[in-house]
Amino acid sequence: MKNWLPLNLRLQKLRTKLLNDPYYRLQSGEEVQIAIQLGIQIDANQATVDDWLRLPGLSIHQARSLVELSRSGVKFYCIEDIAAALAIPVQRLQPVKQLLNFVYYDEESLDCPAPLVNPNTATVENLVKIPFIDLSLAQAVVQNRLSAGPYRNLVDFQQRLELPADAIAQLMYYLRF
């Protein structure tokens, strides 16, 4: 009974760490299995370097390579694609297969992403091209920027322009600060 309690406590701490620390790097097969049980998944086509580094045994070079390939338009459809991109045997990735999610994205959303606009440098003409921004809002964005300085982030943008949450929920896909 003494051995069971510390093990249970250790597993509880690990579960908490896995759920709360998106940068935690899995160390063992046991940790991978717990992550799978917790529903942790990595979207192979949208993963960041930090996402890839969660997988045990993956180097930063490999993680960067996968992200660069993805950004250049390479689509990963299965674990064999990841193995081929890394030039490693697919068997090496089998233990983490259930952590990887191969999501389907339609061609239009992958090939024609919405252009991101920086409201700190955009003209009124650029801003009105963004869906949900009319001429009066575009003018307010530029006028506020000129009088109060650059926007720090999306929250600052929302507060300074007194925009409702539903407007920001639409605009956040088009703005980059």
Side-chain angles (χ1 to χ4, degrees), residues 78-89:
C78 59
I79 195 166
E80 289 80 8
D81 291 349
I82 303 294
L86 296 175
I88 61 173

Side-chain angles (χ1 to χ4, degrees), residues 110-135:
L110 282 175
D111 294 337
C112 305
L116 296 175
V117 176
N118 185 338
N120 289 317
T121 58
T123 64
V124 170
E125 293 77 23
N126 295 127
L127 290 167
V128 294
K129 293 177 184 175
I130 297 173
F132 314 107
I133 294 186
D134 60 12
L135 182 59

